[in-house]
Amino acid sequence: MLEAAGIYFDGVSAAKHHVDVRLDEATGYLSFEGQSIGAPQHWRLEELRLLADQPSGGWLTFTRHISGDDEMLRHEARLSLRDGVLNARLREFAPRLHKRDVNKGAGLRIVKLMGGAFAAVALMLFVILPAMADTLARFMPRDREEQFGQVVIKQISWFVSRDSDADLSCKNDAGLAALAKMEARLTANIDMEYELNIQVFDHPMVNAFAAPGGQIVIMRGLIDEAKGADAVAGVLAHEIGHVEHRDSTRNALRAAGSAGLISMVLGDFSGGALAAILAEQMLDASYTREAEAEADKFALEALRNAGVSGTGFASFFDYLLEQQSAALELPFYFMSHPPSQERADKARAFAQKQTATSSVLSAADWKALQGVCD
Amino acid sequence: MSTNNDIHGQYRGTRGELFHLAIVTTILTVITLGIYRFWAKTRIRKYIWSSAVGDGDAFEYTGTGLEKFLGFLVAVVVLAIYLGVIQMVLFFFGLSFVAEPTTPAEVIMMMSLLYLNLLALLPLIFYAAYRARRYKMARTRWRGVRFGMEQGAWGYALRASGYTILMIVSIGLLAPLANFKLEKYMIDRSWYGDAKFEQHGKWTKLYGAMKHIFIGLTVLSVGIGAGAAMESEAMLAIGGVVGYVWLVVGGLYYRVHSMRYFFANRTLGEDIAFKAEPRTWDLLKIALIGGLIIGAILLAIMAVGGLGMAGVMSMVAQSESFALMGLIGFVGAVLYVLLLVLVGALTLVFILQPMINHFVTTFTVQGKDALGDISQRAAETGVDAEGFADALDIGGAF
């Protein structure tokens, strides 16, 4: 039978008791007695627990498992043993030394609380914040929105050219006049809330976007790759849809509210910021799809009112799908404008139902627009 | 004066064990997208607590990762609503100042908006800080007996907010008043078993500990003033650097010496007193040497990693495969996260643990005979851990 000296705290007072400890492997008990503790104590080995994550190589503290209110389901008494033969044998022989005891109701409580937390966060991210963003975007003064839009455009201009002072906008008068004609025809029959400010950027990227406050930018690459003026008109009508729905203002507001929330939930573990950005982007994408569908609807409506064929718009989707299946470098456009067969089909079905259509620009004007950056 | 009735703190944690624990728990945290962080913090605490020894008896941390996680969930529900709404409303009003402010009125508006954002969170941060300390006390035991702290988080948040405003208004001159009153508020609500802590002393006595802050400020202003007057850039630079370094070290000196004063005037029950004697220079040395070691390790890793990366990049440039490029990007992101994990673990091992070691080993409890008369304190049930502190991410590495 192994014996060693130990130190015992009864969990009732902070008084220290020096005890003699005995391991009885036959009966499965750890027993100890000392002058100051009165009756000898007998701990069953199955109930014996070693405190977790202690530094090794010195005294180790043991305790006893009980069921009750304790946060770790341990009895308040503690027994410390110096590193040695008994200590080593005990760690080998006692069966449940490292068992983590968990309260019976814990599982249900976790499920309940997690459900509650998920629901609250989801409610915030998907219902309350978007609704608030909607309302606030409506109340935002127009000039404030325009100022903000200019900052966004500056950032995009920096993003594509890596030069903060670059003026990428194309200035060819005939081209801009053609663009103005296209805008006039598309918006002639629509009661517009925003005054549009459309620019063309001299950049090969196939892209177009709407910034807050009625500002739209078309990249030269989009005009270069378009099959005709009607294709550009379709994309432009789509961006006008974004403008009229205040999509980018709304998105910015919603992002401001949800960014802090997401980083809070994910916490500040290593690389947490990275994960937060990814999550934010995924969230963004889900809003974007909805906004895209709405803008498509607006675009088709505008084309109908203007008497412009939707075939061009459909051809643009075809172009994007082709690019995607060729798996070449992903154009930036995919990230915010996911193309799909469904969107192309919709535009084509719409085009088939149209009766009297005419091209949005004359051949000469289309030529001028193609040279807007010259 | 050391007597048989004194207990001198000892620390027995080792670099190897803590490093291993830190790496394992942080990697688990990354793999579980952050959920394991509550268990990670708990395990690190358990190790550090049980490494601190007084009179041969180790401290014990009895908190669990699970209750921390549950507390966090509760806090998330409350904060989700508060944060989301506040941030968005502030952003809404902040929008007009994205463009460069031109008039002084606009600048003031913009500044006040920034501070408003902070101010909205400040009481919550104080509230969370008190709750976190209370939770840690309730989950700390020594000789089998619990520590504890009474409720009072809102009272603390109120006072702390008030004193913070006072401190700002007095441009920091009343910092000792705020510091003393808030510390006293917490200590006078703290217990070990059935024995109560009490903080004595006067706040004005803390000004002595501030002397190096004042010297630093003087050097800074005299140096810059003289430099400006003499139009000498060298004078300006020397005054600025010396003054700044003096100020930073003076801040550490204040922390160390105010701590000495607090413990020298603190009692537990009738008969137990304390002596804390940390040294500014030793702590500074730990920070500098630890920083150098970590810097050297990171430099070595980056040199090797940079070479490898350059080699891989040249290969990729030749193959022009986008799939390969994506893969490289992914591997790069993983390596980046691993580097962050390593920095965290190294900081814990080479800076934080040596500092804790220093604080513990320079700490003395006087009157140990009276410890035998202290009885157990009832367990705290239903505490929602330190969820608010976790959600607001205050409280540091462990």
Side-chain angles (χ1 to χ4, degrees):
Chain A
M1 218 178 281
L2 287 166
E3 290 188 29
I7 289 173
Y8 173 66
F9 297 106
D10 61 8
V12 177
S13 88
K16 189 166 175 165
H17 305 283
H18 290 273
V19 291
D20 298 312
V21 187
R22 229 176 23 248
L23 172 63
D24 189 344
E25 292 185 21
T27 57
Y29 273 96
L30 188 71
S31 309
F32 49 93
E33 55 191 330
Q35 283 185 338
S36 54
I37 65 167
Q41 294 273 324
H42 306 283
W43 286 6
R44 278 179 59 207
L45 288 181
E46 291 98 86
E47 290 173 353
L48 197 69
R49 300 285 184 271
L50 179 66
L51 298 186
D53 294 314
Q54 298 183 70
S56 61
W59 291 74
L60 286 179
T61 305
F62 296 85
T63 184
R64 207 154 62 82
H65 166 68
I66 51 156
S67 43
D69 276 344
D70 188 76
E71 61 266 22
M72 296 193 308
L73 300 177
R74 265 93 191 255
H75 191 272
E76 289 168 335
R78 296 288 182 269
L79 178 68
S80 291
L81 289 173
R82 185 195 287 282
D83 200 25
V85 185
L86 174 73
N87 198 326
R89 179 67 191 144
L90 202 55
R91 273 179 283 154
E92 200 178 302
F93 191 70
R96 293 179 190 157
L97 223 44
H98 298 283
K99 186 170 184 290
R100 305 217 162 173
D101 306 293
V102 178
N103 242 321
K104 269 197 191 116
L108 191 66
R109 257 186 81 206
I110 297 171
V111 171
K112 266 192 200 159
L113 275 168
M114 274 185 87
F118 265 120
V121 171
L123 192 73
M124 230 25 229
L125 287 180
F126 294 106
V127 182
I128 297 177
L129 289 180
M132 273 186 71
D134 271 8
T135 317
L136 289 179
R138 242 183 278 280
F139 281 123
M140 185 167 296
R142 200 50 53 84
D143 56 334
R144 190 181 291 174
E145 220 179 328
E146 254 162 54
Q147 263 181 5
F148 180 50
Q150 268 151 18
V151 173
V152 171
I153 287 180
K154 234 187 225 160
Q155 273 173 353
I156 288 170
S157 155
W158 176 84
F159 185 75
V160 296
S161 69
R162 298 285 148 180
D163 179 2
S164 52
D165 296 326
D167 182 12
L168 293 178
S169 61
C170 298
K171 302 254 182 336
N172 181 290
D173 287 334
L176 290 177
L179 188 62
K181 271 186 203 165
M182 184 185 279
E183 177 196 338
R185 178 147 175 207
L186 285 174
T187 58
N189 298 319
I190 304 174
D191 188 13
M192 290 284 291
E193 245 187 84
Y194 284 83
E195 201 174 307
L196 296 176
N197 172 13
I198 307 172
Q199 306 180 59
V200 180
F201 272 11
D202 189 7
H203 194 274
M205 192 181 271
V206 182
N207 200 355
F209 53 84
Q215 304 177 75
I216 293 175
V217 172
I218 300 172
M219 298 291 188
R220 192 199 72 226
L222 189 131
I223 299 177
D224 290 348
E225 295 291 337
K227 289 226 169 72
D230 287 359
V232 178
V235 174
L236 182 59
H238 172 94
E239 297 304 331
I240 294 174
H242 280 314
V243 165
E244 287 293 288
H245 292 141
R246 297 183 179 86
D247 282 330
S248 54
T249 312
R250 240 177 358 180
N251 254 345
L253 279 168
R254 188 196 49 70
S258 58
L261 195 71
I262 290 176
S263 56
M264 180 186 84
V265 173
L266 290 176
D268 185 45
F269 67 95
S270 306
L274 210 70
I277 292 169
L278 285 179
E280 173 65 29
Q281 256 178 10
M282 262 145 60
L283 191 66
D284 227 38
S286 73
Y287 287 112
T288 308
R289 265 189 293 280
E290 207 177 294
E292 288 310 298
E294 284 294 310
D296 277 357
K297 220 161 108 189
F298 181 96
L300 296 180
E301 192 60 35
L303 291 176
R304 185 206 314 278
N305 287 333
V308 174
S309 167
T311 318
F313 194 29
S315 79
F316 182 67
F317 287 127
D318 291 342
Y319 168 80
L320 289 178
L321 283 167
E322 220 173 89
Q323 296 286 304
Q324 193 180 40
S325 61
L328 284 167
E329 187 177 5
L330 288 176
F332 189 66
Y333 204 83
F334 284 133
M335 277 165 39
S336 50
H337 298 69
S340 72
Q341 196 59 49
E342 192 194 334
R343 292 175 71 193
D345 290 346
K346 240 183 208 162
R348 194 155 284 118
F350 164 83
Q352 276 169 1
K353 274 191 255 161
Q354 283 178 299
T355 47
T357 60
S358 62
S359 177
V360 65
L361 291 179
S362 68
D365 280 335
W366 172 229
K367 192 117 186 77
L369 181 57
Q370 282 175 306
V372 69
C373 292
D374 295 339
Chain B
M1 193 182 69
S2 182
T3 66
N4 278 345
N5 209 8
D6 281 1
I7 296 175
H8 295 284
Q10 288 169 297
Y11 191 83
R12 54 177 191 156
T14 61
R15 283 200 198 100
E17 280 176 333
L18 184 62
F19 184 73
H20 181 252
L21 188 63
I23 289 285
V24 168
T25 53
T26 329
I27 287 179
L28 279 172
T29 302
V30 173
I31 291 172
T32 56
L33 292 178
I35 291 176
Y36 193 76
R37 68 181 186 271
F38 308 102
W39 284 265
K41 252 189 186 180
T42 300
R43 291 186 62 187
I44 299 277
R45 276 183 197 168
K46 276 184 190 292
Y47 183 81
I48 289 175
W49 262 239
S50 55
S51 294
V53 175
D55 201 23
D57 309 318
F59 275 76
E60 181 186 348
Y61 180 73
T62 63
T64 65
L66 183 61
E67 68 184 2
K68 252 173 101 64
F69 179 51
L70 295 180
F72 170 77
L73 291 178
V74 172
V76 160
V77 176
V78 176
L79 285 174
I81 296 157
Y82 186 78
L83 271 183
V85 172
I86 293 258
Q87 298 286 331
M88 192 192 277
V89 168
L90 286 179
F91 184 73
F92 173 79
F93 288 110
L95 259 192
S96 53
F97 307 108
V98 175
E100 289 151 40
T102 43
T103 66
E106 271 183 3
V107 176
I108 291 168
M109 272 281 254
M110 197 159 125
M111 295 300 281
S112 54
L113 268 170
L114 265 168
Y115 284 113
L116 215 66
N117 201 342
L118 206 67
L119 217 63
L121 274 180
L122 210 57
L124 261 183
I125 288 175
F126 289 132
Y127 173 80
Y130 187 93
R131 298 265 293 210
R133 179 142 156 180
R134 178 160 178 255
Y135 170 70
K136 270 187 271 191
M137 290 283 275
R139 293 294 179 257
T140 300
R141 293 186 204 179
W142 185 55
R143 297 181 154 214
V145 170
R146 286 184 193 84
F147 286 80
M149 202 161 155
E150 292 162 20
Q151 291 184 354
W154 283 121
Y156 181 79
L158 196 73
R159 284 169 179 77
S161 303
Y163 282 122
T164 302
I165 293 168
L166 200 64
M167 220 161 80
I168 293 169
V169 170
S170 70
I171 47 169
L173 282 178
L174 286 179
L177 173 68
N179 198 193
F180 184 87
K181 293 288 180 190
L182 293 176
E183 184 75 8
K184 184 170 166 61
Y185 182 89
M186 290 200 277
I187 295 304
D188 289 351
R189 282 162 182 74
S190 299
W191 296 76
Y192 171 60
D194 62 352
K196 194 169 177 300
F197 284 97
E198 232 166 303
Q199 183 66 53
H200 312 280
K202 278 175 79 169
W203 65 274
T204 47
K205 294 272 165 89
L206 287 178
Y207 276 108
M210 274 184 95
K211 66 181 176 196
H212 284 289
I213 293 183
F214 289 131
I215 295 176
L217 282 174
T218 311
V219 171
L220 202 61
S221 48
V222 167
I224 289 176
M230 289 159 29
E231 287 180 18
S232 145
E233 277 180 24
M235 187 74 202
L236 213 66
I238 292 171
V241 170
V242 172
Y244 182 72
V245 171
W246 203 308
L247 197 63
V248 170
V249 176
L252 181 66
Y253 180 90
Y254 174 74
R255 300 268 308 251
V256 165
H257 285 263
S258 60
M259 182 177 171
R260 285 179 173 214
Y261 181 78
F262 278 129
F263 274 105
N265 293 283
R266 187 172 295 175
T267 54
L268 174 62
E270 299 283 305
D271 308 303
I272 300 170
F274 306 94
K275 209 162 72 188
E277 293 173 313
R279 290 175 297 272
T280 313
W281 177 238
D282 285 349
L283 288 168
L284 206 60
K285 225 160 49 185
I286 290 168
L288 289 178
I289 294 174
L292 280 178
I293 293 174
I294 295 171
I297 292 174
L298 289 184
L299 215 63
I301 291 175
M302 281 195 212
V304 175
L307 279 179
M309 209 62 187
V312 173
M313 284 317 268
S314 66
M315 254 168 57
V316 174
Q318 279 162 14
S319 72
E320 287 184 12
S321 151
F322 290 104
L324 195 60
M325 228 133 95
L327 186 72
I328 299 287
F330 178 73
V331 171
V334 169
L335 286 178
Y336 172 72
V337 170
L338 285 180
L339 202 66
L340 286 181
V341 169
L342 188 68
V343 171
L346 288 175
T347 310
L348 196 57
V349 169
F350 286 109
I351 298 182
L352 294 177
Q353 179 167 258
M355 282 189 173
I356 292 166
N357 188 331
H358 180 72
F359 281 118
V360 171
T361 48
T362 52
F363 191 79
T364 310
V365 178
Q366 297 164 327
K368 77 169 176 186
D369 291 345
L371 286 169
D373 300 330
I374 293 176
S375 334
Q376 184 65 290
R377 152 182 189 87
E380 297 259 4
T381 51
V383 283
D384 55 354
E386 48 193 335
F388 282 93
D390 281 329
L392 292 169
D393 194 35
I394 51 180
F398 56 86

